[in-house]
Amino acid sequence: MKYIYIKTWGCQMNEYDSSMIVKYLEKTGQYLITKNSEKADVLVLNTCSIREKAQEKVFHQLGRWKKLKNKNANIIIAVGGCVATQEGKEIFKRAKYVDIIFGTQSLHKLPKMIDEVEKNRKFVIDISFPKLDKFNNSLTITNKGYTASISIMEGCNKYCSFCVVPYTRGQEISRPSDDVLFEIASLAENGIKEINLLGQNVNAYQGPTFDGKICYFSELLRLISEIDGIERIRFTTSNPLEFSDDIIEVYKDTPKLVSFLHLPVQSGSNKILQLMKRSYTTEEYEKIIEKLIKARPNIQISSDFIVGFPGESKKDFKETINFIKKINFDMSYSFIYSSRPGTPASEMKDEINIKEKKERLYILQDCINKQTMSWSRKMLGSKQCVLVEGTSKKNAMELYGKTENNRIVNFHGSPKMIGKFVNVQINEIHTHVLHGKLL
Ligand code: SAH
Ligand code: F3S
């Protein structure tokens, strides 16, 4: 048996890919996963290149692994994910001790690539985008917990001017709907209660069906809601561009779909949205939210924002803040714009200094944090349905679980409740963690 150590950075899709890598390797019967990098025969780094810092981290990590390889030359180092796909051979140039470079679509080839390096002791690289190959080789993931994430589509055709995803993950490709439904049904049989559908643009899902038709996202959601045992459905990430009325309709009649939606807007200025090539206006985004509230009055919205995009004036930034106040987001992920090689925005003149960018980020985050707190305050005294995930890390006498809107709630209860839905009344609030009383 050989030991494999995997380190994963980046989005949930990368987390999912890493769990697939583990499955592919375990299936060969030759590998065991270890949590100790010092013990490993093969070191795998699943990388992220969405922002500059994420990319630099890769080479720092490889530098650390080089020391392990200096002690034991037989160690194989494999680099996968978005940096691998984007940089390709350049990684070998900067880190000569790397043995394998595999792309986001070549996970299933990793066991063979390792064999090849063991035999020939020569670099191996595969960063190709063979259509459908990845999903054809997909294995069913059976999570031990009570929630599971499953990939329903990959890639992105939107080419927002700042983003590397279309280059690192390739064109949008949807997994056949029957495969998705079959996998979720078997997850439900294994005790999974909550399902999180993953993809770069899940609402662009167009999965082929067994009889040659197309299953759209709204239909997929309805079909999943009919699977016995699945009580909660989430998805991430969706794009305002294709958030069509048929998807909004699902919120009306499918209670298993959570009253919480992550819908990244990026900016509240139409000028900036256009420069970002987001293909929607703030007015259109607002309209979607209005319709969603009509369909599901208690829905909460979270978002992503980029500050300091090239050309973002003080006035544009002010418009973003005003927009945030108008929508009243539950929470957000916000970032300082990071120029990514090969993207159209990297050619744009970036004249905002870093101090100003940091200030804008601070102001934006402060504004959203206040909204998060006010949403939490509204939850005080309310009854919340919580999926119990385990005993609280801080207090072994307490359990913790998650509400529909992703708040962690701690409360007294019996360990028998783990894995079940229970109702609690919120009696204490902090920004992200709440305390409750079992009802
Ligand atoms: N598909 C999603 C985005 C996925 S990338 C969407 O449609 O919005 C996740 C987030 O990273 C983006 O929403 C964006 O806020 C941020 N991001 C992507 N590229 C970035 C860059 N070059 N600089 C800063 N933030 C970036
Ligand atoms: Fe990136 Fe825009 Fe697609 S942010 S993932 S190119 S929708």
Side-chain angles (χ1 to χ4, degrees):
M1 280 294 194
K2 280 170 279 184
Y3 284 101
I4 300 259
Y5 176 84
I6 302 190
K7 203 178 227 341
T8 310
W9 283 319
C11 61
Q12 283 175 311
M13 190 61 101
N14 262 16
E15 294 287 343
Y16 179 83
D17 282 352
S18 285
S19 59
M20 293 306 276
I21 291 171
V22 172
K23 294 274 164 193
Y24 290 129
L25 290 166
E26 281 179 348
K27 203 179 156 204
T28 65
Q30 298 176 50
Y31 301 102
L32 284 175
I33 301 300
T34 172
K35 286 192 171 148
N36 179 2
S37 59
E38 314 245 335
K39 202 169 137 186
D41 303 291
V42 182
L43 295 159
V44 181
L45 190 56
N46 193 3
T47 64
C48 170
S49 64
I50 197 83
R51 286 169 290 275
E52 195 178 356
K53 275 189 189 148
Q55 185 155 353
E56 273 314 302
K57 248 168 90 176
V58 172
F59 290 98
H60 289 150
Q61 182 60 48
L62 290 175
R64 266 173 250 140
W65 283 357
K66 184 183 175 201
K67 288 183 193 139
L68 295 178
K69 199 161 175 168
N70 285 344
K71 282 193 236 157
N72 173 4
N74 289 327
I75 287 177
I76 292 175
I77 300 180
V79 182
C82 290
V83 176
T85 305
Q86 217 183 7
E87 299 284 319
K89 278 190 203 137
E90 294 300 309
I91 295 179
F92 288 139
K93 284 191 196 150
R94 207 168 145 183
K96 294 195 174 62
Y97 45 90
V98 167
D99 303 281
I100 296 170
I101 292 174
F102 64 104
T104 50
Q105 310 288 330
S106 319
L107 316 177
H108 54 288
K109 298 183 188 159
L110 189 59
K112 256 201 181 143
M113 294 169 92
I114 298 173
D115 287 349
E116 227 174 295
V117 173
E118 279 175 344
K119 265 189 223 125
N120 309 327
R121 279 288 146 192
K122 256 174 44 196
F123 309 134
V124 191
I125 178 165
D126 187 336
I127 50 169
S128 58
F129 283 153
K131 275 214 157 181
L132 263 173
D133 219 22
K134 178 171 168 169
F135 284 144
N136 280 351
N137 286 283
S138 178
L139 294 164
T140 299
I141 297 231
T142 42
N143 288 35
K144 284 206 186 72
Y146 310 99
T147 69
S149 297
I150 95 155
S151 168
I152 61 163
M153 60 83 67
E154 259 233 58
C156 185
N157 302 344
K158 307 291 178 289
Y159 292 95
C160 299
S161 63
F162 54 82
C163 183
V164 289
V165 170
Y167 313 97
T168 60
R169 291 264 172 193
Q171 296 286 294
E172 280 167 10
I173 169 156
S174 298
R175 209 170 151 194
S177 57
D178 302 299
D179 290 5
V180 173
L181 295 167
F182 181 78
E183 182 171 343
I184 296 177
S186 60
L187 287 168
E189 271 172 24
N190 283 296
I192 296 291
K193 302 271 168 64
E194 179 179 296
I195 204 86
N196 187 14
L197 308 173
L198 295 183
Q200 266 81 30
N201 277 303
V202 284
N203 51 321
Y205 178 80
Q206 298 188 16
T209 64
F210 71 95
D211 53 357
K213 297 201 181 99
I214 290 177
C215 174
Y216 291 95
F217 189 54
S218 54
E219 193 186 342
L220 185 75
L221 287 171
R222 286 212 171 85
L223 290 170
I224 294 170
S225 77
E226 281 166 22
I227 297 175
D228 280 345
I230 299 296
E231 302 289 332
R232 238 185 213 177
I233 307 167
R234 300 181 186 276
F235 56 81
T236 192
T237 301
S238 47
N239 189 306
L241 187 58
E242 284 155 318
F243 216 89
S244 45
D245 288 351
D246 60 314
I247 301 171
I248 297 172
E249 284 292 308
V250 184
Y251 284 88
K252 281 192 189 156
D253 54 29
T254 311
K256 287 183 182 179
L257 183 59
V258 292
S259 298
F260 182 84
L261 171 66
H262 185 65
L263 194 64
V265 65
Q266 312 298 354
S267 170
S269 147
N270 281 333
K271 179 189 109 190
I272 296 301
L273 286 178
Q274 201 175 10
L275 288 172
M276 287 177 165
K277 288 219 165 54
R278 288 293 286 182
S279 308
Y280 56 81
T281 61
T282 53
E283 290 79 14
E284 282 162 344
Y285 185 93
E286 235 183 294
K287 191 90 207 139
I288 297 173
I289 305 301
E290 273 171 22
K291 287 188 206 166
L292 278 163
I293 294 173
K294 253 198 197 142
R296 191 65 82 78
N298 64 338
I299 197 157
Q300 282 169 251
I301 310 293
S302 73
S303 184
D304 290 350
F305 290 93
I306 296 178
V307 299
F309 187 80
E312 186 191 65
S313 65
K314 281 195 162 57
K315 181 171 161 277
D316 296 319
F317 178 66
K318 188 94 192 76
E319 283 179 21
T320 298
I321 295 298
N322 289 340
F323 189 71
I324 291 172
K325 289 183 179 156
K326 203 164 171 186
I327 299 290
N328 193 13
F329 292 97
D330 177 62
M331 68 131 219
S332 85
Y333 298 101
S334 43
F335 313 97
I336 288 176
Y337 166 71
S338 170
S339 172
R340 304 286 57 222
T343 60
S346 67
E347 319 258 303
M348 296 177 191
K349 239 195 188 144
D350 179 5
E351 283 169 332
I352 314 159
N353 66 52
I354 186 68
K355 189 169 162 271
E356 174 74 22
K357 286 179 185 168
K358 282 186 179 164
E359 246 171 62
R360 288 183 194 178
L361 185 70
Y362 179 83
I363 294 169
L364 188 146
Q365 289 180 338
D366 187 53
C367 183
I368 301 252
N369 284 344
K370 285 187 181 127
Q371 299 192 332
T372 305
M373 205 52 197
S374 91
W375 278 107
S376 291
R377 238 178 265 127
K378 277 190 207 154
M379 293 172 79
L380 197 61
S382 70
K383 182 175 103 175
Q384 297 287 329
C385 179
V386 168
L387 175 55
V388 188
E389 294 189 6
T391 46
S392 157
K393 279 162 197 109
K394 280 193 182 145
N395 180 353
M397 300 298 286
E398 285 194 332
L399 302 173
Y400 80 95
K402 277 204 196 113
T403 62
E404 269 197 35
N405 59 345
N406 272 327
R407 297 286 197 287
I408 293 175
V409 184
N410 294 321
F411 60 98
H412 280 284
S414 149
K416 279 189 201 144
M417 291 169 179
I418 294 172
K420 300 204 169 85
F421 285 95
V422 298
N423 286 323
V424 297
Q425 187 173 36
I426 306 302
N427 57 13
E428 228 177 90
I429 53 156
H430 310 274
T431 314
H432 293 283
V433 183
L434 311 174
H435 195 275
K437 187 174 146 265
L438 192 67
L439 289 173

